[in-house]
Amino acid sequence: MKNHYTIALKYALSCCFLITALHAHAQKPKDDKIVGYHMSRKTGKMEFFNSKAEVVAAYPFTNITLDEHEVGFLAVGTSTKRGLMSDRGVMVVDTIYDFLAVVDKELALVSQGQKYGLIDFKGKIVAPIIYDDIDHFKANGRFTVQKEGKTGVINRKGEFIEPLK
């Protein structure tokens, strides 16, 4: 008798766990990643939505570059300033840069004025915004930098591999 009671109790607890898990799963959509956007006629803001057409974020943007590198971030902003937003609609880097482009899965190229630098996806400056130009070698994670007519090569941490000369 005791054995049947233990089996029934285990079965009941398993059912409760399954129902709780399914209920929790149903409350939070699995696909809350941004799959598209449109301008809201009502608010004038850019609304970002998931595959269920649920709005996950709304910002006053006019300029958006979708996640070309599939790293989970979008370059967003206005006609004059750019920032970085996660594919869940959370602003990661405010719209403070004149230019911002996702370079790879960890870095973005930014500019302020006529100078360029690199930031990570938390907004931390990796290579200072002091260079006249930065080119990215996709194969090996190195960047050619130019400053005051001199050229050098830096790594992904902003450290010189070849000094400016």
Side-chain angles (χ1 to χ4, degrees):
M1 187 71 142
K2 190 174 185 182
N3 192 18
H4 291 301
Y5 178 75
T6 305
I7 291 171
L9 182 61
K10 285 182 182 179
Y11 178 75
L13 289 174
S14 296
C15 287
C16 286
F17 174 78
L18 184 59
I19 290 169
T20 304
L22 287 173
H23 180 68
H25 179 71
Q27 288 180 354
K28 182 160 172 77
K30 216 174 150 181
D31 63 344
D32 57 351
K33 285 186 179 181
I34 292 171
V35 297
Y37 59 91
H38 65 265
M39 179 69 76
S40 168
R41 290 182 187 171
K42 195 181 230 182
T43 66
K45 292 183 177 182
M46 200 62 73
E47 293 182 339
F48 297 86
F49 55 89
N50 62 18
S51 65
K52 293 182 179 180
E54 299 167 325
V55 174
V56 294
Y59 294 101
F61 297 143
T62 57
N63 206 330
I64 298 161
T65 305
L66 290 178
D67 190 4
E68 300 166 1
H69 300 285
E70 296 183 7
V71 295
F73 292 92
L74 299 86
V76 295
T78 65
S79 59
T80 58
K81 295 294 180 186
R82 308 279 287 164
L84 197 62
M85 183 172 73
S86 78
D87 63 0
R88 308 286 179 165
V90 177
M91 285 302 295
V92 179
V93 176
D94 286 332
T95 52
I96 59 172
Y97 295 104
D98 297 334
F99 173 82
L100 184 145
V102 174
V103 175
D104 61 23
K105 62 182 180 175
E106 298 174 1
L107 298 173
L109 175 67
V110 296
S111 76
Q112 287 181 321
Q114 299 295 317
K115 301 297 180 184
Y116 293 88
L118 298 170
I119 63 169
D120 66 15
F121 291 161
K122 293 180 181 173
K124 178 183 172 206
I125 295 176
V126 175
I129 306 169
I130 59 171
Y131 299 105
D132 300 326
D133 196 15
I134 297 180
D135 287 322
H136 180 224
F137 294 109
K138 292 192 185 281
N140 58 17
R142 296 179 180 195
F143 300 84
T144 300
V145 294
Q146 294 177 359
K147 183 178 176 189
E148 299 171 357
K150 298 178 181 179
T151 302
V153 178
I154 60 172
N155 64 16
R156 303 177 59 69
K157 296 178 183 177
E159 304 164 334
F160 277 98
I161 296 171
E162 295 177 23
L164 291 169
K165 36 181 161 169

